Amino acid sequence: MTEIYRTVSTGRRDDVSPTKCRERRRRRIEMRRQAAVFGEPSSSKNREETIYSGFVPLKKHARTTTTAAEMGGLPADVGGVFPSPTSSHKKPEALVWKGEEGDDEPMYGVVSVMGRSRKMEDTVTVKPSLCKPEINQQKPVHFFAVYDGHGGSQVSTLCSTTMHTLVKEELEQPGCKLEGGGNDVVEEKWRGVMRRSFERMDELAMGTCMRRTTASLCHCDPREAAISGSTAVAAVLTNGNVVVANTGDSRAVLCRNGMAIPLSNDHKVPDRPDERARIEAAGGRVLVVDGARVEGILATSRAIGDRYLKPMVAWEPEVTFMRREPGDECLILASDGLWDVLSSQLACDIARFCLREDAPSGLDLNETATEDDNEGQGSSGQNPSRSVLAATLLTRLALGRQSNDNISVIVIDLKNSPP
């Protein structure tokens, strides 16, 4: 976790009093609302369905809702049961461009849970068919991102509702069409788009208060907004390329021919001597307080926001441009709640197992859940997509390995969206 160091008590099994049991049950019920899962393709009547993940409604295109109960779900005590949204949950949204064919959208699964953390600061964004096809040689552009907040969820929530819009605006700028010229020209354009989007996002985060109001027009305590920040890993998927921009310690991994290929490098102070040198050159210090941290506070050396740690904590993303190949199997984006306890190769192996054609699509991932956690869930004959199973299994494994952070995972099946 990249937030300010704090000690968390782990003495759950030491107290089994009725009062503590009731408190834990209330906590489980609350955490059940935090998970959101995306299912497989469906008829067009469900194209406008809105799914809630944590704090932010995510727009779905050509997908049905697959609830945790339908797929075996996540254990209820970590926020795994999430009922289908009702009409009271839906909010009117502005008309957005969806593309002409839903079949062009890749299969993907998303799971975002609070886990054992005290509060939910992760957010995720999925935007298939982000912009008009004229931008990319009449081919769709898909956007996926994971944001891991610290010092509060203000910046991560702002990123989840704004970053993709900034990327879209940059792509639609005159002269930014991604056609014509060689691969080097296209790559340079993508790098510029992602860098400018992150720069604008950081400017918005720095000038927004706790109430998401322009700082100069609000009377909030400026110290409250100054301590909030967020990591960001964003992936743009096209018919021929994968573009990943990362700032912080969230991670993107491509599985190609069974091998894990990192598309981002974690900006963790102890693992990056170049980042330590940059921090010290900016006048900052790396102090050891429960590990190496910037000024003894933040364990990641780059992030969006964190006004009080500028310029030591930089916003600049590292951008990776990768040409897609027939051997590409899946792309995994996740917050450090997953990567702190799982290696990139193990995550790829698990995702590959779930995405195999002969893998059981109705795999019950909740057989060990207690009876009281499952009551009232019912059952369903629908099976989730394999990418949903992969994201869920990765989340469960991270929880089983005692991850203490929020866990957000996006698994994108690249075999069913060939280049």
Side-chain angles (χ1 to χ4, degrees), residues 236-298:
V236 178
L237 182 67
T238 71
N239 60 309
N241 306 309
V242 178
V243 184
V244 172
N246 175 65
T247 180
D249 55 7
S250 297
R251 190 184 305 173
V253 176
L254 174 68
C255 184
R256 173 176 290 174
N257 296 318
M259 298 299 294
I261 300 177
L263 298 185
S264 64
N265 294 313
D266 299 350
H267 294 125
K268 287 186 178 291
V269 180
D271 304 330
R272 298 284 300 268
D274 57 333
E275 287 295 289
R276 178 189 288 265
R278 181 188 60 76
I279 293 168
E280 293 174 349
R285 299 172 298 172
V286 176
L287 304 178
V288 178
V289 180
D290 188 38
R293 295 170 180 266
V294 180
E295 298 295 338
I297 299 172
L298 199 61

Side-chain angles (χ1 to χ4, degrees), residues 326-401:
D328 293 347
E329 297 172 88
C330 65
L331 177 65
I332 304 173
L333 306 180
S335 58
D336 64 339
L338 179 78
W339 304 118
D340 283 347
V341 294
L342 265 70
S343 67
S344 297
Q345 186 61 55
L346 179 57
C348 282
D349 292 342
I350 293 170
R352 289 181 67 232
F353 170 78
C354 295
L355 295 175
R356 292 186 320 184
E357 292 296 332
D358 58 345
S361 60
L363 180 65
D364 185 2
L365 298 177
N366 203 26
E367 292 178 345
T368 60
T370 57
E371 181 178 354
D372 71 307
D373 287 331
N374 284 325
E375 63 181 5
Q377 293 181 22
S379 61
S380 173
Q382 297 182 2
N383 289 328
S385 67
R386 292 183 176 90
S387 53
V388 172
L389 290 173
T392 306
L393 188 56
L394 288 170
T395 303
R396 283 188 60 97
L397 182 57
L399 291 166
R401 292 192 169 196

Side-chain angles (χ1 to χ4, degrees), residues 91-153:
K91 296 182 179 180
E93 296 191 16
L95 180 64
V96 296
W97 187 88
K98 301 183 181 63
E100 297 179 0
E101 293 292 338
D103 293 339
D104 290 336
E105 299 177 11
M107 294 290 293
Y108 59 89
V110 179
V111 176
S112 184
V113 298
M114 184 164 62
R116 295 182 176 86
S117 181
R118 291 181 176 178
K119 54 186 176 181
M120 185 64 171
E121 295 177 321
D122 280 11
T123 59
V124 296
T125 300
V126 175
K127 290 292 177 181
S129 300
L130 176 67
C131 56
K132 296 181 179 180
E134 290 82 3
I135 301 298
N136 185 44
Q137 306 178 35
Q138 303 300 319
K139 298 294 183 180
V141 175
H142 310 299
F143 181 90
F144 305 88
V146 172
Y147 309 103
D148 181 3
H150 47 263
S153 62

